[in-house]
């Protein structure tokens, strides 16, 4: 069995000793990323896309409340759960953090068992949310991304291409005479054809950024952000009994 990648946790605290203590508690189960101030926290959150953030409140220049505000106003980072770590323990401080969007509090000094239990509980919620999201964004038959996933990905890549002034390639493909195929051989054979075509597209992608989705009955889309070099329009020899691949720019 392939071992699942460890979830990534960003720990933010201006005290080195606190960073070391929390890292020692969590590093056996999780991948730990450290930040010593608010600016560094936002930079590393953007770079590493952590699954959970442990965030100190009292820090110079930018306190934890400000960092949380910035996270919640960033479309890419706003859904990352944040647990405040703080010596502040009155109800008003806790209410303020929860109102801003924190999911929990861990008090200083740290109790290792409590820290690990609270982190484990929130990571379980993260796993469940990701599972639900992945199911909602996959085509049930072919197990490749669906139209909803495609629309979201196209919006992200289009905005990135405009911002960075980089090219983007998009291929829209369908299976000719698919209705006649279904009528002659039955829907179960049609389903087999769709799954085989989807697998061919998925296995043909060469980069992590390349993307294929089923966007309709027998319609597919292939998205190639910032292609390395343009390919001439033309046919590649048929890759199965069901389809041939066309490349275009």
């Amino acid at each position: 069995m392939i071992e699942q990648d460890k979830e990534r946790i960003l720990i933010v605290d201006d005290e080195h000793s606190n960073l070391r203590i929390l890292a020692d508690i969590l590093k056996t189960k999780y991948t730990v990323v450290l930040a010593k101030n608010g600016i560094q926290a936002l930079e590393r959150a953007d770079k590493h896309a952590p699954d959970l953030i442990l965030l100190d409140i009292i820090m110079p220049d930018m306190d934890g409340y400000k960092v949380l505000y910035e996270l919640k106003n960033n479309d890419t980072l706003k859904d990352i759960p944040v647990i405040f770590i703080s010596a502040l323990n009155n109800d008003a401080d806790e209410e303020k953090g929860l109102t801003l969007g924190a999911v929990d509090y861990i008090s200083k000094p740290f109790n290792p068992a409590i820290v690990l239990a609270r982190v484990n509980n929130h990571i379980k919620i993260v796993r469940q949310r990701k599972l639900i999201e992945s199911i909602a964004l996959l085509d049930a038959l072919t197990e490749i991304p669906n139209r909803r996933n495609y629309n979201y990905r196209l919006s992200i890549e289009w905005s990135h291409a405009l911002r960075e002034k980089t090219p983007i390639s998009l291929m829209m493909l369908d299976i000719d005479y698919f209705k006649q195929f279904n009528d002659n051989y039955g829907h179960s054979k049609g389903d087999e054809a769709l799954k085989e075509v989807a697998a061919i597209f998925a296995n043909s992608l060469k980069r992590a950024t390349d993307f294929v989705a089923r966007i309709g009955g027998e319609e597919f889309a292939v998205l190639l952000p910032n292609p390395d070099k343009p390919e001439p329009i033309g046919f590649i020899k048929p890759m199965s009994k069901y389809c041939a691949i066309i490349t275009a720019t």
Side-chain angles (χ1 to χ4, degrees), residues 5 8 40 55 79 111 132 141 143 164 167 204 214 216:
D5 291 339
R8 189 175 291 109
Q40 199 174 79
L55 177 60
D79 293 326
N111 179 317
I132 293 170
L141 176 65
E143 298 182 348
E164 301 296 328
S204 298
R214 182 186 177 201

Side-chain angles (χ1 to χ4, degrees), residues 8 10 33-36 39-50:
R8 189 175 291 109
L10 172 62
V33 179
L34 304 178
K36 61 183 180 181
I39 297 296
Q40 199 174 79
L42 294 173
E43 292 173 349
R44 294 188 178 178
D46 187 57
K47 178 180 179 180
H48 296 284

Side-chain angles (χ1 to χ4, degrees), residues 3-245:
E3 184 179 354
Q4 185 180 22
D5 291 339
K6 291 181 179 180
E7 284 84 7
R8 189 175 291 109
I9 297 178
L10 172 62
I11 305 172
V12 187
D13 199 304
D14 61 323
E15 291 289 339
H16 177 75
S17 59
N18 290 332
L19 291 176
R20 179 177 51 79
I21 291 169
L22 290 171
D24 287 344
I25 294 171
L26 299 172
K27 65 184 180 181
T28 57
K29 289 193 65 174
Y30 304 105
T31 297
V32 173
V33 179
L34 304 178
K36 61 183 180 181
N37 56 55
I39 297 296
Q40 199 174 79
L42 294 173
E43 292 173 349
R44 294 188 178 178
D46 187 57
K47 178 180 179 180
H48 296 284
D51 297 288
L52 181 68
I53 298 175
L54 303 187
L55 177 60
D56 187 23
I57 294 179
I58 305 301
M59 296 185 294
D61 300 324
M62 179 183 288
D63 66 19
Y65 296 130
K66 176 62 175 175
V67 174
L68 181 57
Y69 176 84
E70 295 294 333
L71 290 169
K72 294 303 178 185
N73 283 276
N74 184 308
D75 287 341
T76 304
L77 307 176
K78 64 182 181 181
D79 293 326
I80 302 173
V82 175
I83 299 177
F84 271 136
I85 51 176
S86 179
L88 302 176
N89 57 10
N90 64 62
D91 292 343
D93 291 320
E94 186 169 348
E95 179 186 1
K96 181 177 181 179
L98 295 174
T99 300
L100 286 172
V103 297
D104 207 345
Y105 261 76
I106 295 176
S107 298
K108 300 178 182 178
F110 302 120
N111 179 317
I114 295 297
V115 171
L116 194 56
R118 289 182 182 272
V119 168
N120 287 345
N121 286 340
H122 286 287
I123 288 295
K124 287 179 183 177
I125 296 172
V126 169
R127 289 172 182 166
Q128 292 168 353
R129 189 194 77 227
K130 286 185 174 182
L131 177 60
I132 293 170
E133 289 174 351
S134 68
I135 293 173
L137 295 174
L138 286 182
D139 176 61
L141 176 65
T142 62
E143 298 182 348
I144 65 171
N146 59 18
R147 188 182 189 94
R148 178 184 175 193
N149 198 340
Y150 161 76
N151 288 338
Y152 172 76
R153 184 67 172 266
L154 178 61
S155 174
I156 295 294
E157 296 296 351
W158 185 263
S159 297
H160 182 268
L162 290 176
R163 184 171 63 253
E164 301 296 328
K165 295 180 172 57
T166 54
I168 185 171
S169 293
L170 174 63
M171 294 184 281
M172 310 295 288
L173 311 102
D174 65 10
I175 303 175
D176 287 340
Y177 310 113
F178 188 69
K179 183 180 184 301
Q180 292 91 320
F181 184 91
N182 267 339
D183 291 342
N184 287 332
Y185 300 104
H187 288 281
S188 62
K189 289 295 184 182
D191 288 348
E192 290 179 17
L194 290 170
K195 287 189 283 188
E196 182 172 338
V197 170
I200 290 168
F201 290 153
N203 293 332
S204 298
L205 303 183
K206 297 179 179 179
R207 306 174 304 165
T209 54
D210 295 342
F211 180 84
V212 62
R214 182 186 177 201
I215 59 173
E218 70 273 24
E219 299 172 341
F220 298 84
V222 179
L223 184 62
L224 305 173
N226 196 15
D228 296 329
K229 60 180 179 179
E231 298 286 348
I233 296 175
F235 282 93
I236 298 175
K237 65 180 181 179
M239 301 186 72
S240 81
K241 58 185 176 183
Y242 301 118
C243 72
I245 308 300

